[in-house]
Amino acid sequence: MKKNIKLNVKKGDTVKMMTGNDRGKQGKILAVFPEKNTAIIEGINLVKKHTRAKSQTEPGGIITKEAPVNISNFMVVCQACHSPSKVKRNPEKPGDRFCGRCGSALANK
């Protein structure tokens, strides 16, 4: 059974890490996975993956790539006040997102 899961983050949002080894770093969201409550952020939570050579044109080696991060570990950065803040929603206009600190509208991508 599939639930309709609503998250306050979207692909393309700039976020700031609040916990973990990458605390304080900022990056853009590349992908969001609502079922797992995670997101992949550019340049954050980098892991090394060992790959086997598939052919002579695709050599094997160690690849560094981003791993998913739980949504509770980062906050959206407001473009107006340049600080991490909670995302607020207007019940009268579904889809509109606002900064919890300054009240300015967040860009909907």
Side-chain angles (χ1 to χ4, degrees):
M1 187 185 304
K2 195 172 187 179
K3 289 190 216 174
N4 188 7
I5 301 170
K6 196 81 164 169
L7 298 177
N8 290 327
V9 294
K10 291 185 177 183
K11 181 179 174 181
D13 282 348
T14 303
V15 295
K16 184 174 184 177
M17 289 298 295
M18 293 296 166
T19 61
N21 292 338
D22 295 323
R23 182 179 182 182
K25 289 185 182 178
Q26 288 188 2
K28 280 195 174 195
I29 295 180
L30 300 175
V32 179
F33 306 106
E35 311 84 35
K36 297 180 180 178
N37 210 27
T38 58
I40 295 179
I41 305 169
E42 184 178 26
I44 294 185
N45 196 22
L46 297 174
V47 294
K48 295 193 185 272
K49 182 176 180 181
H50 297 258
T51 58
R52 170 179 254 171
K54 294 181 181 174
S55 65
Q56 289 184 351
T57 58
E58 279 190 53
I62 301 171
I63 298 172
T64 304
K65 61 184 252 180
E66 294 94 357
V69 178
N70 195 304
I71 289 181
S72 64
N73 294 336
F74 58 82
M75 292 180 80
V76 176
V77 176
C78 176
Q79 299 299 322
C81 60
H82 302 290
S83 61
S85 62
K86 291 184 178 180
V87 176
K88 302 291 181 182
R89 291 187 178 264
N90 187 354
E92 297 166 1
K93 296 179 184 176
D96 288 353
R97 302 180 308 146
F98 300 96
C99 173
R101 289 184 186 232
C102 67
S104 64
L106 294 174
N108 291 324
K109 294 177 172 74

